[in-house]
Amino acid sequence: MSEKGEVDLTGAKQNTGVWLVKVPKYLSQQWAKASGRGEVGKLRIGKNQGKAEVEFTLNEDLTMIDGLGDKPSGVQAPRDHPFTMQTVGGQTLAVFTETQSESSKDRISLEGLVVQRAECRPAASENYMKLKRLQIEELSKPVRLSQQLEKAVTTNYKPVANHSYNLEYDRKKKDEGKRARADKQQVLDMLFSAFEKHQYYNIKDLVDVTKQPVSYLKEILRDIGIYNVKGTHKNTWELKPEYRHYQGGEEEKETDD
Amino acid sequence: MASLGGSSSSSTEYIVRVPKNTSKKYSIMAFNSGDKVNCSSWTQARMERDMSNRRMYGVEETEEGAAGSEFGKKQREEARRKKFGIVTREFKVEDQPWILKVNGKAGKRFKGTKKGGVTENASYYIFTQCPDGAFEAFPVNGWYNFVPQAKHRTLTAEEAEEEWGRRNKVVNHFSIMLQRRLREQERGPDDDDEEGEKGGKKKKKKGGRGGDLRIHDLEDDLELSSDESDSSGGEDGDSKPKKKGGDVKGKGKKKKKKRGSDSEANEDSDDGDFEGLEVDYMSDESSSEEEAGEEKAKSNKEAVPKGIDEASESEEESEEEKQNEEEGKEEEEEEEGKKTPVQTKKKRDSSGESDTSEDSDIDGEAASALFMKKRTPPKRGGGRGSGGSSRTGSRPGTPSIDSASTSNTLRAAASKLEQGKRHVVGGSSESPAAKRLKMESSSMAVTTQSPAPSGKSTPQPPSGKSTPSSSDVQLTEEAVRRYLIRKPMTTKDLLKKFQTKRTGLSSEQTVNVLAQILKRLNPERKNVNDKMHFYLTE
């Protein structure tokens, strides 16, 4: 990981110039569908009476627009896209890349500087208009829809003798049985080990941990612990000061009763 | 394909490819062209994500582990947050800003914040030309605006607001940052964690008042070298002499310290930058107030004349004013710290009350005059705040050796007066009366040393015990005598008689002059209704 953060400056040193082109969304979607080597079209750069003309032509096979749900919508993407060239003044734009390889070494490298900005516009054509209309239709659909139902829904709440989950709960309870009072020493052991992990416990949590009946547990707790009524740890039990030893490594302090 | 179109046009066609499955993610690094960033000039660069916004899960909460933790705390906290609908935004690494460091530690630093909304409606692609002539287009993943990070210190928003309020008064802007640095230094040794400026100030205040600050600059220097106490007092003392020297010596240097403001009036810390500066001489420590004061006076005097020589012609008024002010104030504070008699406190109180007013300057000077014996005549007029009265030769050009003795007597006189008062007056009225008398006596001291010209009139050259101000229309000894013969009056009554509007003096001057006159007249005292009245019988 020593390389992490180190920026590879070869692109900057070579002053590689790149173009920053703003491309419409539908076009980038079409490009994503490109197969093979990724050829998407042709760029024609010409000089017409001194002015540079740049035009991008989309490949034929990429003109099928998918409508909703990936089915062909019957609309074709326009093919011709002239580029509008713009200057880069006001901002110095550099391009950097992050490479995430399998070895999880993030390499950042500076690819180059932007020398030209361009906007890819579709040439106004029937196709484009249709495409736009399709887009607008999709967008104008409300996200939420009110729909009237013919019949009332009857499948939701049915009266039931006893809910399924209730039954399960009862069964679980029966299986577990009443909590038996274990040996006091054992309970103390459990308590101390529990308090090793956390300082404050709710009585319910302690019951869970020790599986003891509440009253029995409370008696034991009254022996070795104190009950916090006020303060940040409301209604929690903690060990008495003489029993606890929280300082980095905890030690158990047991008493023999 | 061949060219098409008219004869004047020629075009070449290139194939555009959009490579798939590249592990490289392209992003834009945008610099403002005003920053004049030239990427090719970078020798090396490091860039990392700025993780300072990451809140480690549980870091903000109570500590894990046994002590102090509850069973199931995490779950409970989470459930609670859900109940209240608090949604904490997930920390996404890709959205965090970049920190770019160019040319190593000494080079520039940039912070790149991600610009939102770039990829929402349109996609940006980077077209690069491949060796085979085809273009390859890569989609841009993110746009980061990089701004250079200031290496120099800047003020926080609160500080900036304060300074904005004082912008008309402050002439020396260098001192603003200096002040801040000193404050930070002060804070550093005291408490590393304390970040808040307010906290730092408080600490300093305490240190300044409660600590046993020696009055003397240079002796503090000695003190510090002998005992490396961490107390702010010690530190203050140490840097103080240097600072004094520095201030006086190099007005052009950036190390000017401005202490005029209210909020900084309590500051005592000084800049360690002045460590290497020469100091005129070291004096021995002395514990007695007077001696210390004397020494300080002497040292001040030493330091100051040098400064005068250098910068006698074109000194900035405010600088001087402030320095005087600050000296005055700092002396006051030191006095206090030394458990000085009530006098000091009163002095400070009185000056503290009128901090922002012009009078504060005078008060400060009065204090300094009384205790420091150094504040010789030149301090006159005590600079009308930022109004900027002209101060000709306000630095003591004359050695004030005799001023020491003078002030000694002054102090004696003051204490005598106070004692006299104490005997006569009851307890409750003692303080205000004593305070007033203190003020008067001290201002008398000031006036004896330096005439107090009225703010409006031109400052007169310092002279001995001259009667203050020529524009003194009605406030004469005769007038006072008349009043006192007629009936006993309190000082307040007397002041009322000589209203500032009528006499043309400022209230401060009125007080000074009146005190002087009273001293000369030495009227009898009578206590009527718990108030000290003066009267004369001729």
Side-chain angles (χ1 to χ4, degrees):
Chain A
M1 284 292 240
S2 60
E3 273 192 30
K4 176 153 175 68
E6 196 65 39
V7 178
D8 177 10
L9 291 171
T10 45
K13 291 215 178 4
Q14 291 164 3
N15 261 335
T16 13
V18 298
W19 286 11
L20 180 68
V21 184
K22 194 175 193 179
V23 170
K25 258 271 161 13
Y26 73 90
L27 198 57
S28 61
Q29 281 167 357
Q30 297 305 100
W31 286 0
K33 289 195 270 175
S35 60
R37 284 191 60 208
E39 201 178 293
V40 296
K42 292 197 179 29
L43 193 68
R44 188 167 59 241
I45 305 179
K47 251 184 151 19
N48 198 359
Q49 280 128 10
K51 288 179 73 161
E53 273 184 9
V54 186
E55 202 196 11
F56 172 75
T57 312
L58 188 63
N59 268 1
E60 186 76 44
D61 48 353
L62 289 174
T63 51
M64 295 312 296
I65 299 263
D66 289 339
L68 282 172
D70 283 342
K71 58 183 193 304
S73 58
V75 179
Q76 284 215 330
R79 290 197 63 196
D80 298 323
H81 300 84
F83 275 19
T84 327
M85 309 307 275
Q86 294 156 349
T87 52
V88 196
Q91 270 186 321
T92 313
L93 299 169
V95 181
F96 72 95
T97 54
E98 295 167 74
T99 323
Q100 177 91 29
S101 50
E102 297 85 31
S103 52
S104 95
K105 262 216 202 157
D106 292 341
R107 270 191 41 232
I108 304 173
S109 66
L110 213 57
E111 296 295 321
L113 297 168
V114 173
V115 291
Q116 186 81 257
R117 282 184 78 154
E119 267 183 35
C120 181
R121 287 161 191 231
S125 62
E126 266 304 309
N127 274 341
Y128 183 61
M129 295 308 163
K130 279 193 220 157
L131 170 68
K132 266 309 182 191
R133 183 209 243 135
L134 186 71
Q135 276 184 359
I136 293 172
E137 277 174 3
E138 281 184 24
L139 286 174
S140 61
K141 284 190 201 135
V143 178
R144 295 167 199 267
L145 185 64
S146 300
Q147 196 181 19
Q148 192 183 25
L149 302 170
E150 298 89 30
K151 274 172 39 162
V153 179
T154 53
T155 51
N156 284 5
Y157 296 104
K158 287 200 186 125
V160 143
N162 201 354
H163 291 284
S164 57
Y165 92 94
N166 252 349
L167 288 169
E168 278 189 35
Y169 182 70
D170 291 333
R171 213 178 314 130
K172 196 163 68 90
K173 274 292 157 99
K174 238 189 300 184
D175 286 345
E176 234 184 72
K178 293 219 195 276
R179 302 204 171 120
R181 295 190 177 200
D183 207 9
K184 187 157 186 207
Q185 199 57 37
Q186 272 182 314
V187 177
L188 278 173
D189 283 344
M190 280 194 277
L191 282 177
F192 283 129
S193 54
F195 277 108
E196 250 182 55
K197 294 196 215 96
H198 297 275
Q199 188 177 351
Y200 302 100
Y201 274 89
N202 217 340
I203 185 66
K204 285 194 218 140
D205 298 327
L206 283 174
V207 165
D208 259 343
V209 165
T210 57
K211 310 250 183 298
Q212 302 293 296
V214 181
S215 48
Y216 181 52
L217 190 59
K218 266 201 205 163
E219 275 186 36
I220 303 182
L221 277 175
R222 237 172 266 135
D223 259 348
I224 59 156
I226 45 178
Y227 187 64
N228 279 313
V229 183
K230 303 187 264 221
T232 54
H233 309 277
K234 44 96 220 166
N235 308 331
T236 53
W237 282 93
E238 63 174 338
L239 284 181
K240 283 192 186 153
E242 56 263 23
Y243 290 103
R244 60 174 124 114
H245 187 231
Y246 294 118
Q247 258 150 27
E250 287 100 33
E251 290 169 22
E252 233 179 56
K253 289 211 177 154
E254 277 195 29
T255 80
D256 344 14
D257 336 0
Chain B
M1 271 189 246
S3 57
L4 31 79
S7 52
S8 56
S9 70
S10 61
S11 56
T12 34
E13 271 206 3
Y14 305 90
I15 296 180
V16 177
R17 277 198 302 269
V18 177
K20 305 179 149 266
N21 310 326
T22 40
S23 54
K24 280 196 190 186
K25 278 193 253 179
Y26 280 70
S27 311
I28 299 276
M29 188 191 285
F31 297 97
N32 209 345
S33 60
D35 296 333
K36 306 265 187 303
V37 174
N38 187 5
C39 292
S40 45
S41 71
W42 296 349
T43 45
Q44 58 117 322
R46 293 193 68 89
M47 188 149 86
E48 301 176 321
R49 290 278 183 191
D50 176 22
M51 298 294 207
S52 57
N53 292 330
R54 189 210 287 270
R55 299 262 171 265
M56 306 299 243
Y57 181 50
V59 131
E60 294 180 83
E61 303 158 19
T62 53
E63 71 274 13
E64 311 286 323
S69 72
E70 272 184 51
F71 182 77
K73 178 94 174 177
K74 269 195 219 165
Q75 290 89 328
R76 227 174 309 172
E77 280 298 316
E78 213 179 296
R80 197 162 161 276
R81 297 235 299 272
K82 272 198 197 154
K83 177 168 97 174
F84 290 125
I86 303 168
V87 176
T88 37
R89 276 218 204 105
E90 207 187 289
F91 178 89
K92 284 190 226 127
V93 186
E94 309 86 50
D95 291 345
Q96 298 310 306
W98 287 103
I99 300 275
L100 169 67
K101 295 176 218 171
V102 179
N103 293 341
K105 196 112 213 294
K108 291 201 198 136
R109 275 182 69 125
F110 295 90
K111 182 162 181 176
T113 359
K114 189 165 189 176
K115 181 162 129 171
V118 168
T119 46
E120 270 169 19
N121 297 320
S123 344
Y124 280 96
Y125 278 79
I126 297 286
F127 277 49
T128 50
Q129 193 156 34
C130 294
D132 65 347
F135 276 89
E136 280 195 340
F138 302 96
V140 164
N141 218 277
W143 185 300
Y144 295 87
N145 287 322
F146 279 76
V147 287
Q149 277 187 317
K151 287 231 180 126
H152 55 269
R153 234 170 273 233
T154 50
L155 301 175
T156 67
E158 296 153 353
E159 288 168 325
E161 280 200 37
E162 279 178 36
E163 295 298 331
W164 174 256
R166 295 204 303 257
R167 68 191 187 281
N168 288 323
K169 297 187 204 163
V170 175
V171 178
N172 180 17
H173 293 285
F174 291 131
S175 60
I176 297 175
M177 292 313 294
L178 192 69
Q179 229 33 349
R180 188 155 179 274
R181 207 174 336 138
L182 298 181
R183 247 179 277 142
E184 278 179 20
Q185 277 200 358
E186 175 64 23
R187 212 179 310 145
D190 289 346
D191 179 7
D192 282 342
D193 302 325
E194 184 72 71
E195 277 290 55
E197 197 199 351
K198 301 288 188 304
K201 270 197 201 155
K202 275 198 213 108
K203 266 202 186 338
K204 259 182 329 77
K205 249 204 279 200
K206 269 202 320 219
R209 304 268 175 76
D212 59 338
L213 281 177
R214 299 295 180 177
I215 310 162
H216 191 210
D217 290 346
L218 303 178
E219 81 178 303
D220 284 335
D221 182 30
L222 280 188
E223 216 181 48
L224 190 74
S225 51
S226 51
D227 73 289
E228 299 277 286
S229 65
D230 227 8
S231 73
S232 47
E235 243 190 77
D236 292 352
D238 178 30
S239 6
K240 241 190 279 193
K242 319 288 177 47
K243 167 206 65 110
K244 281 278 158 58
D247 264 350
V248 172
K249 281 179 203 308
K251 83 174 183 85
K253 292 190 200 151
K254 278 194 184 183
K255 313 198 176 184
K256 285 295 180 230
K257 200 158 135 177
K258 175 188 100 65
R259 280 247 220 101
S261 74
D262 319 338
S263 57
E264 298 173 26
N266 305 316
E267 249 187 88
D268 279 320
S269 75
D270 292 324
D271 193 0
D273 283 352
F274 295 108
E275 299 278 352
L277 287 179
E278 307 164 39
V279 190
D280 284 313
Y281 69 93
M282 306 288 198
S283 64
D284 290 335
E285 261 187 70
S286 62
S287 51
S288 87
E289 178 188 328
E290 282 181 38
E291 283 172 21
E294 218 173 271
E295 281 172 3
K296 173 151 198 205
K298 274 201 238 151
S299 76
N300 278 351
K301 165 199 66 158
E302 288 291 338
V304 165
K306 255 205 173 62
I308 296 181
D309 295 341
E310 280 185 22
S312 53
E313 259 71 57
S314 53
E315 279 164 347
E316 293 178 16
E317 307 162 0
S318 62
E319 245 179 90
E320 290 176 29
E321 287 174 10
K322 297 213 167 70
Q323 180 168 22
N324 296 330
E325 223 179 76
E326 76 201 21
E327 281 176 347
K329 285 211 170 37
E330 127 203 354
E331 280 144 19
E332 292 163 23
E333 290 159 352
E334 292 165 339
E335 289 294 281
E336 234 197 39
K338 280 192 59 94
K339 303 180 208 124
T340 49
V342 181
Q343 311 170 340
T344 331
K345 191 116 208 231
K346 306 296 169 46
K347 190 93 285 110
R348 205 185 47 74
D349 282 346
S350 60
S351 50
E353 283 153 25
S354 53
D355 242 356
T356 43
S357 68
E358 294 176 359
D359 294 342
S360 68
D361 297 342
I362 302 180
D363 287 347
E365 296 192 338
S368 50
L370 182 62
F371 298 113
M372 288 307 104
K373 298 110 166 143
K374 184 353 179 267
R375 217 43 58 110
T376 45
K379 285 322 170 257
R380 79 305 172 46
R384 299 285 133 176
S386 56
S389 57
S390 63
R391 244 190 212 219
T392 53
S394 59
R395 292 281 164 72
T398 60
S400 48
I401 301 178
D402 56 348
S403 64
S405 51
T406 328
S407 17
N408 268 336
T409 51
L410 280 173
R411 169 152 324 138
S415 48
K416 191 167 67 147
L417 278 172
E418 192 191 41
Q419 271 158 13
K421 282 206 58 54
R422 281 236 179 90
H423 288 315
V424 181
V425 182
S428 55
S429 63
E430 187 185 55
S431 321
K435 168 177 172 179
R436 204 179 320 131
L437 208 56
K438 254 314 85 323
M439 266 259 305
E440 291 161 8
S441 65
S442 70
S443 34
M444 276 196 289
V446 175
T447 52
T448 52
Q449 288 188 330
S450 65
S454 70
K456 322 321 195 256
S457 64
T458 52
Q460 297 161 356
S463 58
K465 312 193 187 238
S466 59
T467 324
S469 75
S470 46
S471 64
D472 170 33
V473 175
Q474 280 128 350
L475 179 50
T476 57
E477 193 174 321
E478 275 309 307
V480 176
R481 183 187 290 263
R482 244 184 305 127
Y483 286 128
L484 289 182
I485 287 177
R486 208 180 304 156
K487 80 168 202 159
M489 300 183 71
T490 65
T491 46
K492 210 181 228 172
D493 294 337
L494 280 171
L495 280 170
K496 262 193 235 149
K497 291 287 183 190
F498 302 107
Q499 284 174 5
T500 59
K501 292 198 182 119
R502 288 176 35 202
T503 65
L505 299 172
S506 80
S507 57
E508 178 61 39
Q509 282 165 337
T510 317
V511 169
N512 290 348
V513 171
L514 193 59
Q516 236 190 338
I517 295 174
L518 281 175
K519 189 177 175 213
R520 271 199 295 254
L521 288 178
N522 207 5
E524 313 237 341
R525 291 192 190 113
K526 182 166 74 173
N527 204 359
V528 175
N529 302 334
D530 275 342
K531 279 213 177 74
M532 169 62 56
H533 286 68
F534 295 113
Y535 68 96
L536 281 167
T537 51
E538 293 284 351

